[in-house]
């Protein structure tokens, strides 16, 4: 019987078997059929040994791959963390030691000389561990130069109202966008998104014009007010609030809750992690800001620490590390406290 | 009518609504549970219908009012601080100057487009975005895949990699200067190990690389977390059945995972694009007002125009940028919807 015919027959049998009709099919002359009992046993043993070897090899390969992956991940993690560590460790050196180690860099850099950098024969020494641990830098910074504390306070005074205000405004607005979906609202929402996507370069000019018109230029309000009404958090929160199951809201309505009660008791608690994540994100973003104060606050006394730090770098290298370290402590503390919220908030924002 | 106000809360046209309205129209006779035909009298029916319509309209208006109230604070602020000034911006971009309201057509635009500094700034910004955004997306995706491949200590790595995002740029600039300045550590190492001549990292064509490193250092963590979330959302059954069918890991990645990841890829790309436009911050902190040629970003152009208060230049520049941004994002959205069409189950 030729092979093709046999195949057709077996296929037919399979089709019928699906309808619970079983017919005889001719035996195939397979390799397995042609073996004797002993041969079969030997074959099984052999293949068992082979598959065991295979498994072992795969395990070893998997282990090697894991180790390689670990190495790559560790390198990435090291690269990520080293600058932060470096700053903190160096902040405990004495000013003299800092100047000893890095003075050569900043000497050639002073005043951002245009192309005037000359290569000095002395190379800087990168040191991670201070010779002697002192808090001299911090002492100098906190007690000798009051400008630093002033600027720190300036940063706080700008960032806290912006974050608080934007969250309050954004929660209300995104609740409205999430619950009331009509055509014109969607268009408005889309224009909010476009506004969010606009780079600073575009929104800064209108900001400048309007604060000039309102007469708040060169005051904190010129930065706080546009910050409060920035649409970034509305976009993410709306996305989040639209995921609230409508059954919750309907149930609350049946129990006689009004919109405000639904907002307070259902929408806000459901979005808790998103709100915390946004608070963290906004805090970093505004703690970091440089452009707005540069343009909108011409008075250097009102500028926040971020702008000031870029000037301290070249002038007083002795305390620069401590200043940098102190400046990154608040966001890092917030990160340590709220990392889970941050990760969850970011994760949910990207997933549709 | 006070009696009916609370009906506005229930869904339109519920039985209760009609029943009570009927009670009001037809006097006590229908208080019992007997169902009486409502439509016996055409005038009654008409009155009922109009009442229903009126109630529905009132409810709609109330709903609109309530939700608009929630939106109002944000809307007022956005209109005052963004929409109105943007309109003013459009207006000034067609004027000779902010004080001279003479209409000059597109003269300001052509003047800005011809401006050498603007062209340079735009070119630099776009080049930077064109190189760093794909890099940020791909490297973050690779990192996420690495962490997701059953590596021990995944969450530890994630926290560490997310750390740079929290650190303010101003604090980290110092380290970058220590490494990359002409007399910096990196040049010292290069001289020690390879005996190579020092490179002036910040003042040569390599300056963009240095900034790119800073950009990637800061943004990879955030992008990676987004990708990790997306990878976790891929249904395992699909991956498993692909494994059964004998697809190897590369095929699995491109044929299956990529399809589930594509919305996230676009989201990450857009987010990275936004932050790549913000790179001015890093450049300014590292190099000041007038950096090396390839680092002259759009914001420098803006800042320098601010110091001269050249409104017409500023506004036309901003509008050109606005349009460019809308086009870029529009293309991305369009590409996403095209790409997504066959992914939707």
């Amino acid at each position: 019987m030729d092979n093709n015919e046999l195949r057709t027959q077996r296929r037919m049998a399979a089709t019928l078997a699906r309808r619970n009709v079983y017919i005889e099919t001719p035996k195939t002359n397979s390799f397995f059929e042609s073996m004797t009992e002993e041969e079969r046993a030997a074959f099984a043993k052999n293949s068992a040994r082979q598959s065991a070897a295979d498994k072992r090899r795969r395990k070893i390969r998997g282990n090697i791959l894991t180790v390689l992956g670990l190495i790559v991940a560790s390198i990435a993690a090291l690269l990520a963390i080293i600058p932060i560590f470096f700053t903190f460790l160096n902040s405990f050196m004495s000013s003299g030691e800092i100047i000893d180690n890095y003075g050569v860099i900043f000497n050639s850099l002073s005043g951002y000389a245009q192309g005037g950098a000359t290569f000095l024969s002395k190379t800087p020494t990168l040191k991670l561990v201070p010779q002697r641990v002192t808090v001299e830098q911090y002492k100098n910074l906190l007690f000798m130069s009051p400008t630093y504390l002033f600027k720190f306070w300036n940063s706080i005074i700008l960032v806290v109202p912006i974050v608080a205000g934007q969250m309050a405004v954004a929660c209300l607005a995104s609740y409205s966008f999430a619950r009331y979906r009509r055509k014109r609202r969607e268009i408005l929402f889309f224009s909010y998104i476009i506004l969010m996507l606009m780079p600073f370069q575009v929104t800064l000019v209108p900001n400048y014009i309007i604060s000039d018109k309102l007469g708040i230029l060169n005051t904190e309000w010129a930065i706080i007010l546009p910050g409060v009404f920035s649409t970034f958090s509305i976009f993410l929160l709306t996305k989040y609030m639209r995921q609230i199951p409508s059954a919750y809201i309907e149930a609350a309505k049946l129990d006689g809750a009004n919109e405000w009660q639904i907002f307070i008791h259902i929408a806000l608690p459901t979005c808790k992690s998103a709100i915390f994540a946004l608070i963290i994100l906004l805090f970093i973003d505004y703690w970091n800001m440089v452009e707005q104060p540069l343009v909108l606050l011409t008075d250097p006394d009102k500028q926040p620490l971020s702008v000031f730090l870029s000037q301290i770098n070249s002038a007083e290298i002795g305390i620069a590390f401590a200043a940098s370290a102190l400046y990154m402590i608040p966001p890092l503390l917030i990160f340590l406290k709220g990392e889970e919220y941050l990760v969850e908030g970011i994760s949910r924002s990207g997933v549709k | 009518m006070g009696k009916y106000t609370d009906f506005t809360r229930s869904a339109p046209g519920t039985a209760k609504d009609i029943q009570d309205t009927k009670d009001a129209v037809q006097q006590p006779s229908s208080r019992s549970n007997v169902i009486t035909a409502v439509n016996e009298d055409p005038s009654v029916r008409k009155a009922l219908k109009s009442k229903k319509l009126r109630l529905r309209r009132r409810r709609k208006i109330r709903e609109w009012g309530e939700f608009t109230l929630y939106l109002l604070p944000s809307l007022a602020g956005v209109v005052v601080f963004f929409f109105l000034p943007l309109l003013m911006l459009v207006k000034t971009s067609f004027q000779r100057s902010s004080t001279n309201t003479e209409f000059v057509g597109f003269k300001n635009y052509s003047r800005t487009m011809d401006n050498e500094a603007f062209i340079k700034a735009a070119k630099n910004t776009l080049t930077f975005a064109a190189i760093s955004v794909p890099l940020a997306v791909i490297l973050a995706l690779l990192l996420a895949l690495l962490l997701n491949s059953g590596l021990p200590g995944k969450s530890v790595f994630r926290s560490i990699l997310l750390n740079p995002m929290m650190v303010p740029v101003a604090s980290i600039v110092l380290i970058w200067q220590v490494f990359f300045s002409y007399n910096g550590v990196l040049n010292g190492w290069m001289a020690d190990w390879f005996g190579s001549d020092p490179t002036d990292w910040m003042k040569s064509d390599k300056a963009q690389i240095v900034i790119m490193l800073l950009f990637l250092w800061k943004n990879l963590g955030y992008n990676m977390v987004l990708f990790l979330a997306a990878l976790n959302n891929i249904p395992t059954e699909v991956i498993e059945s692909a494994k059964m069918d004998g697809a190897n890991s590369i095929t699995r990645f491109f044929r299956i995972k990529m399809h589930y990841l594509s919305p996230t890829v676009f989201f990450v790309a857009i987010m990275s694009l936004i932050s790549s436009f913000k790179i001015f911050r890093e450049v300014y902190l590292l190099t000041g007002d007038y950096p090396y040629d390839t680092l002259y970003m759009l914001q420098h152009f803006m800042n320098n125009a601010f110091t001269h208060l050249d409104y017409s230049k500023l506004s036309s520049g901003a509008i050109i940028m606005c349009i460019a941004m809308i086009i870029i994002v529009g293309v991305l959205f369009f590409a996403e919807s095209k790409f997504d069409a066959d992914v939707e189950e």
Side-chain angles (χ1 to χ4, degrees):
Chain A
M1 199 183 292
D2 98 60
N3 226 359
N4 251 345
E5 205 174 316
L6 189 74
R7 204 170 288 158
T8 327
Q9 271 186 26
R10 290 181 67 83
R11 201 172 296 148
M12 173 84 137
T15 314
L16 286 175
R18 246 173 266 146
R19 297 173 198 151
N20 289 333
V21 180
Y22 301 98
I23 55 166
E24 281 276 324
T25 44
K27 275 251 162 54
T28 46
N29 37 4
S30 67
F31 177 59
F32 189 73
E33 296 286 336
S34 69
M35 284 192 290
T36 60
E37 276 303 319
E38 295 89 62
E39 275 174 336
R40 273 179 206 176
F43 182 78
K45 215 171 130 191
N46 194 19
S47 62
R49 203 176 55 233
Q50 235 170 38
S51 77
D54 244 22
K55 214 187 228 168
R56 217 164 31 238
R57 207 174 309 136
R58 219 175 310 147
K59 204 175 166 190
I60 291 173
R61 219 181 64 184
N63 278 346
I64 290 176
L65 278 182
T66 310
V67 169
L68 275 183
L70 267 181
I71 290 173
V72 174
S74 310
I75 290 174
L78 212 65
L79 283 179
I81 202 101
I82 262 194
I84 303 169
F85 255 119
F86 185 76
T87 309
F88 273 110
L89 287 175
N90 277 278
S91 71
F92 288 110
M93 290 180 186
S94 65
S95 298
E97 198 183 344
I98 293 276
I99 291 169
D100 241 27
N101 288 346
Y102 310 115
V104 57
I105 297 170
F106 295 94
N107 280 339
S108 63
L109 203 105
S110 60
Y112 303 117
Q114 287 283 320
T118 44
F119 189 66
L120 308 173
S121 54
K122 193 182 167 208
T123 47
T125 31
L126 181 70
K127 271 215 191 129
L128 280 181
V129 187
Q131 280 171 350
R132 192 166 52 88
V133 177
T134 60
V135 285
E136 185 194 331
Q137 281 193 56
Y138 289 100
K139 227 163 55 192
N140 280 347
L141 191 69
L142 295 179
F143 302 115
M144 305 300 185
S145 54
T147 38
Y148 183 82
L149 286 181
F150 258 129
K151 304 276 176 173
F152 203 90
W153 179 240
N154 276 349
S155 278
I156 291 173
I157 240 177
L158 285 176
V159 172
V160 172
I162 289 181
V163 174
Q166 189 175 345
M167 279 331 287
V169 169
C171 282
L172 286 169
S174 42
Y175 181 67
S176 163
F177 276 129
R179 291 271 289 117
Y180 190 78
R181 305 184 68 169
R182 300 284 187 278
K183 200 162 182 190
R184 267 172 298 177
R185 279 302 151 89
E186 294 292 323
I187 292 172
L188 187 66
F189 184 57
F190 192 68
S191 64
Y192 267 47
I193 295 179
I194 289 184
L195 203 60
M196 176 201 101
L197 293 176
M198 283 299 132
F200 273 137
Q201 291 90 329
V202 175
T203 50
L204 207 54
V205 188
N207 275 353
Y208 187 86
I209 294 177
I210 200 71
S211 22
D212 200 17
K213 283 256 155 65
L214 293 178
I216 53 174
L217 202 61
N218 207 9
T219 64
E220 292 86 4
W221 293 109
I223 291 175
I224 292 176
L225 285 178
V228 164
F229 296 114
S230 156
T231 54
F232 172 71
S233 46
I234 295 180
F235 166 70
L236 287 184
L237 261 186
T238 305
K239 241 177 146 183
Y240 224 84
M241 282 195 186
R242 281 181 181 167
Q243 291 172 355
I244 299 175
S246 58
Y248 286 11
I249 292 169
E250 263 155 40
K253 261 186 168 176
L254 283 181
D255 288 347
N258 58 28
E259 287 299 335
W260 180 251
Q261 282 165 330
I262 296 177
F263 174 64
I264 290 287
H265 295 296
I266 293 179
L268 286 187
T270 321
C271 294
K272 207 172 74 183
S273 65
I275 291 172
F276 280 126
L278 270 175
I279 287 177
I280 298 174
L281 282 177
L282 288 179
F283 181 83
I284 314 163
D285 204 27
Y286 285 102
W287 191 252
N288 225 333
M289 71 182 158
V290 175
E291 302 86 345
Q292 298 101 315
L294 262 184
V295 172
L296 299 170
L297 291 179
T298 39
D299 187 358
D301 281 345
K302 287 177 183 154
Q303 288 184 342
L305 199 55
S306 48
V307 180
F308 178 66
L309 270 184
S310 69
Q311 292 146 12
I312 209 180
N313 284 350
S314 48
E316 297 151 298
I317 164 89
I319 54 168
F321 282 102
S324 295
L326 267 190
Y327 190 55
M328 60 169 113
I329 283 177
L332 282 180
L333 279 184
I334 288 180
F335 177 68
L336 288 182
K337 267 258 169 268
E339 192 202 334
E340 262 166 61
Y341 288 118
L342 183 70
V343 170
E344 203 204 321
I346 296 174
S347 309
R348 289 258 299 261
S349 72
V351 177
K352 276 201 180 170
Chain B
M1 282 308 274
K3 190 183 162 199
Y4 296 112
T5 43
D6 56 339
F7 295 165
T8 52
R9 257 189 226 151
S10 57
T14 51
K16 184 185 167 222
D17 210 335
I18 297 171
Q19 181 74 41
D20 283 9
T21 324
K22 195 185 71 189
D23 284 355
V25 176
Q26 294 183 341
Q27 282 313 306
S29 64
S30 60
R31 279 265 173 230
S32 60
N33 273 338
V34 184
I35 299 170
T36 46
V38 194
N39 55 355
E40 17 182 63
D41 189 356
S43 68
V44 171
R45 201 176 158 192
K46 214 172 165 184
L48 246 170
K49 207 169 177 183
S50 72
K51 181 163 267 172
K52 215 170 105 184
L53 273 179
R54 212 162 52 233
L55 280 174
R56 187 176 290 172
R57 205 160 42 236
R58 272 178 48 139
R59 197 176 49 89
K60 257 188 165 165
I61 291 173
R62 216 187 111 143
E63 211 175 42
W64 182 87
E66 195 162 19
F67 284 116
T68 310
L69 205 68
Y70 283 89
L71 187 59
L72 209 58
S74 153
L75 191 62
V78 169
V79 165
V80 170
F81 283 97
F82 296 101
F83 287 157
L84 272 185
L86 269 175
L87 283 182
M88 275 152 70
L89 203 65
V90 174
K91 195 170 139 255
T92 39
S93 75
F94 289 109
Q95 289 172 1
R96 187 166 291 279
S97 69
S98 58
T99 42
N100 186 347
T101 56
E102 187 194 336
F103 182 77
V104 293
F106 287 95
K107 219 178 198 165
N108 285 327
Y109 289 93
S110 58
R111 212 159 56 92
T112 312
M113 289 297 249
D114 286 339
N115 188 323
E116 236 172 78
F118 180 77
I119 293 174
K120 195 167 75 183
K123 219 176 81 191
N124 284 338
T125 307
L126 284 181
T127 325
F128 184 82
I131 299 174
S132 59
V133 170
L135 263 184
V137 173
I138 291 168
L139 284 180
L141 183 54
L142 287 180
L143 270 180
L145 283 174
L146 181 64
L147 288 202
N148 213 36
S149 64
L151 219 58
K154 175 181 161 189
S155 62
V156 177
F157 281 119
R158 193 188 56 197
S159 320
I160 293 178
L161 287 171
L162 202 53
N163 241 325
M165 187 185 127
M166 305 301 296
V167 176
V169 193
S171 314
I172 224 66
V173 165
L174 196 61
I175 305 299
W176 245 252
Q177 277 174 350
V178 165
F179 270 92
F180 291 108
S181 70
Y182 193 55
N183 287 306
V185 174
L186 193 66
N187 272 341
W189 285 350
M190 297 277 264
D192 281 352
W193 294 344
F194 309 111
S196 57
D197 287 333
T199 336
D200 198 351
W201 293 96
M202 291 318 298
K203 294 217 169 55
S204 69
D205 293 341
K206 299 196 177 76
Q208 277 217 344
I209 299 178
V210 176
I211 297 291
M212 233 167 257
L213 277 179
L214 188 52
F215 174 78
L216 290 177
W217 184 77
K218 250 194 110 51
N219 286 290
L220 276 186
Y222 179 79
N223 292 353
M224 190 196 68
V225 170
L226 283 171
F227 277 128
L228 274 178
L231 281 173
N232 280 339
N233 266 20
I234 298 176
T236 41
E237 308 91 66
V238 181
I239 300 280
E240 242 149 55
S241 57
K243 251 187 211 167
M244 286 290 172
D245 289 346
N248 61 18
S249 56
I250 295 172
T251 323
R252 277 205 308 269
F253 174 72
F254 280 107
R255 293 285 167 85
I256 299 169
K257 288 189 182 168
M258 251 350 248
H259 276 239
Y260 282 97
L261 286 180
S262 65
T264 314
V265 170
F266 284 105
F267 185 74
V268 170
I270 288 178
M271 287 315 227
S272 306
L273 189 70
I274 298 175
S275 33
S276 88
F277 270 76
K278 286 183 190 164
I279 199 69
F280 161 78
R281 192 178 279 174
E282 283 83 348
V283 178
Y284 176 81
L285 291 176
L286 266 175
T287 59
D289 269 329
Y290 291 94
Y292 185 73
D293 249 17
T294 53
L295 289 182
Y296 190 81
M297 299 285 170
L298 276 172
Q299 184 66 40
H300 288 102
F301 173 75
M302 288 302 195
N303 273 25
N304 296 341
F306 263 118
T307 49
H308 305 307
L309 282 184
D310 189 345
Y311 272 114
S312 55
K313 211 174 176 185
L314 267 177
S315 49
S316 50
I319 301 262
I320 290 172
M321 240 183 285
C322 186
I323 293 169
M325 198 68 195
I326 289 176
I327 290 173
I328 293 173
V329 172
V331 167
L332 273 178
F333 268 121
F334 181 73
E336 188 191 358
S337 64
K338 273 260 148 166
F339 205 81
D340 253 11
D342 52 72
V343 179
E344 244 34 274
E345 301 105 284

